[in-house]
Amino acid sequence: MHPTHPQHFDPATIRGDFPVLSELVYGKPLVYLDNAATSQKPLSVIKALNDYYSHSNANIHRGVHYLSQKASSMFDDVRLQVRDFINAKSEREIIFTSGTTDSINLVAATFGRKFIGQGDEILISAMEHHSNIVPWQLLCEEKGAVLKVIPMDDDGVLLLDAIPSLLSERTKLVSVVHTSNSLGTINPVKEIIALAHQFNIPVLVDGAQTVAHEKVDVQELDCDFFVFSGHKMFGPTGVGCLYGKETWLEQMPPYKGGGDMIQSVSFEKTTYNELPFKFEAGTPHISGVIALGEAINYLNKIDRNAAHAHEMALLNKATSLLMEIEHVRIIGTSKNKSSVVSFIMDGVNAMDVGMYLDTLGIAVRTGHHCTEPVMHRFKIPGTIRASFMFYNTFEEIDKLAEGIQKAKGLLRRN
Ligand code: PLP
């Protein structure tokens, strides 16, 4: 059961922290319901970017001068923040990347290079984002390995019973999404990890849609890798993280070669830097990392249980209102869902609905949401997806439902 809406959580106050939410679109108040694509940014994050370039800009880990030392220590401090944010054992286990996609590619390129060979198997699920499919396909093509898929039912729930028969002594990695971006399903990753670990198989969890909505504890999950993007959790674009258990990261070869990831270089032999720097070649997204630290500060300041309860209340309201609309069908009806409602309207193209809602100032996403296999599973070309964050309001859900009613009147008649 979803928790009930707490009395004390006030989205109106929270909204004040996000300047873009006061924008007008075509003269109408913006109703931003595309949070699964990217979250909006609080002023403190925007200010951190500006402050960094105004007062602290320098390259890191290289300079003896004041600014370089300052920027380096600001950057390094965020690694400690991320460690605590996901409860990793050590900051050596936190690698800064450009985002979820980059983090998964890193694991595919390095873990894959070392541990996956001809005839080995990688198990993913039927509801993966393309970024947790294609890197493995590239690896399989290169190595002659095989990609296997955990199926799901008509509610968009993974069939856990199928997992044991999909695991074999050739399975080298399980890589699953925690929260589906197109269905909203929250997968029982802890159970999947425990199952895989019975066979000593490591597990990567794609947490792109999780970190903004629930607290993550990688030690409690016992996942081997956990990946996420800054921009989906109030931070800037172009920055993200890979958490990896030290035992794995130590064994994996470097990803990209260049500055900062080396201990010493000669034409005969190069030795690599220690963790986590071994995986961070070149000048990183310094301002992005520092602003990500500010996003974590922001999240740490709000009552996350109340925020989560509010999102569940938004989800429940949207679900009930949409279920009342004839010719509208929700895709993704798992009992355990994040604040995402994907739906189709019989006889109407999803993009037309999205474009009509846009004229009302309502931002939703339409299409396959980078999960084409999910659309194939449901035999549909795409959905309309409204995804909520704790700064959304019940009034906005009403506007969404009214907009869908109007879209139906207009588009189904034509
Ligand atoms: N995985 C999931 C579940 C996602 O929702 C997304 C983005 O929508 C990604 C991976 C890719 O994230 P990014 O584009 O930030 O690398």
Side-chain angles (χ1 to χ4, degrees), residues 76-96 216-219 228 241-243 292 296:
D76 293 339
D77 284 351
V78 179
R79 205 185 300 277
L80 309 184
Q81 278 184 277
V82 173
R83 176 199 63 195
D84 297 344
F85 181 63
I86 59 170
N87 194 32
K89 244 189 220 153
S90 158
E91 61 277 14
R92 290 163 59 83
E93 299 177 318
I94 307 297
I95 318 289
F96 288 119
V216 169
D217 183 333
V218 290
Q219 291 191 68
F228 61 97
C241 295
L242 162 66
Y243 157 82
L292 176 64
I296 293 175

Side-chain angles (χ1 to χ4, degrees), residues 160 188-196:
L160 296 194
V189 282
K190 199 171 169 191
E191 227 175 293
I192 296 173
I193 293 161
L195 198 57

Side-chain angles (χ1 to χ4, degrees), residues 72-231:
S72 301
S73 89
M74 286 166 83
F75 182 92
D76 293 339
D77 284 351
V78 179
R79 205 185 300 277
L80 309 184
Q81 278 184 277
V82 173
R83 176 199 63 195
D84 297 344
F85 181 63
I86 59 170
N87 194 32
K89 244 189 220 153
S90 158
E91 61 277 14
R92 290 163 59 83
E93 299 177 318
I94 307 297
I95 318 289
F96 288 119
T97 65
S98 70
T100 305
T101 304
D102 192 30
S103 300
I104 297 173
N105 275 278
L106 188 161
V107 178
T110 69
F111 177 95
R113 202 184 318 150
K114 176 95 181 241
F115 293 109
I116 293 174
Q118 173 88 27
D120 284 340
E121 293 166 7
I122 299 158
L123 182 62
I124 61 169
S125 88
M127 61 179 79
E128 299 308 322
H129 188 281
H130 294 166
S131 60
N132 199 25
I133 302 175
V134 186
W136 306 118
Q137 286 176 325
L138 290 168
L139 181 69
C140 286
E141 269 172 35
E142 189 187 316
K143 298 279 194 158
V146 179
L147 194 63
K148 293 197 155 182
V149 182
I150 308 166
M152 65 177 158
D153 67 15
D154 292 342
D155 287 319
V157 174
L158 290 182
L159 300 175
L160 296 194
D161 290 351
I163 297 180
S165 66
L166 289 163
L167 296 174
S168 79
E169 68 284 356
R170 301 307 309 257
T171 314
K172 291 294 185 304
L173 184 77
V174 174
S175 190
V176 282
V177 68
H178 196 173
T179 306
S180 158
N181 63 310
S182 54
L183 299 167
T185 311
I186 300 175
N187 289 315
V189 282
K190 199 171 169 191
E191 227 175 293
I192 296 173
I193 293 161
L195 198 57
H197 283 179
Q198 282 175 20
F199 300 88
N200 293 322
I201 302 164
V203 180
L204 182 152
V205 174
D206 173 353
Q209 295 293 340
T210 312
V211 278
H213 303 282
E214 13 180 325
K215 286 188 183 150
V216 169
D217 183 333
V218 290
Q219 291 191 68
E220 202 216 323
L221 285 176
D222 199 24
C223 52
D224 300 273
F225 302 101
F226 186 91
V227 297
F228 61 97
S229 301
H231 71 97

Side-chain angles (χ1 to χ4, degrees), residues 361-407:
I362 303 173
V364 293
R365 175 66 50 128
T366 62
H368 54 58
H369 318 293
C370 293
T371 57
E372 269 196 71
V374 170
M375 303 305 138
H376 297 160
R377 167 64 180 76
F378 286 93
K379 299 188 173 57
I380 52 177
T383 72
I384 303 127
R385 180 188 72 187
S387 50
F388 316 120
M389 197 61 92
F390 50 72
Y391 46 59
N392 288 123
T393 64
F394 293 110
E395 195 194 351
E396 289 180 318
I397 305 291
D398 285 327
K399 284 187 181 171
L400 172 70
E402 282 160 26
I404 295 168
Q405 285 281 16
K406 284 187 190 157

Side-chain angles (χ1 to χ4, degrees), residues 224-260:
D224 300 273
F225 302 101
F226 186 91
V227 297
F228 61 97
S229 301
H231 71 97
K232 292 189 197 283
M233 51 165 284
F234 316 107
T237 53
V239 67
C241 295
L242 162 66
Y243 157 82
K245 278 185 185 164
E246 207 167 327
T247 42
W248 286 116
L249 295 178
E250 284 290 6
Q251 296 177 70
M252 285 152 54
Y255 182 32
K256 295 169 184 162
D260 233 24

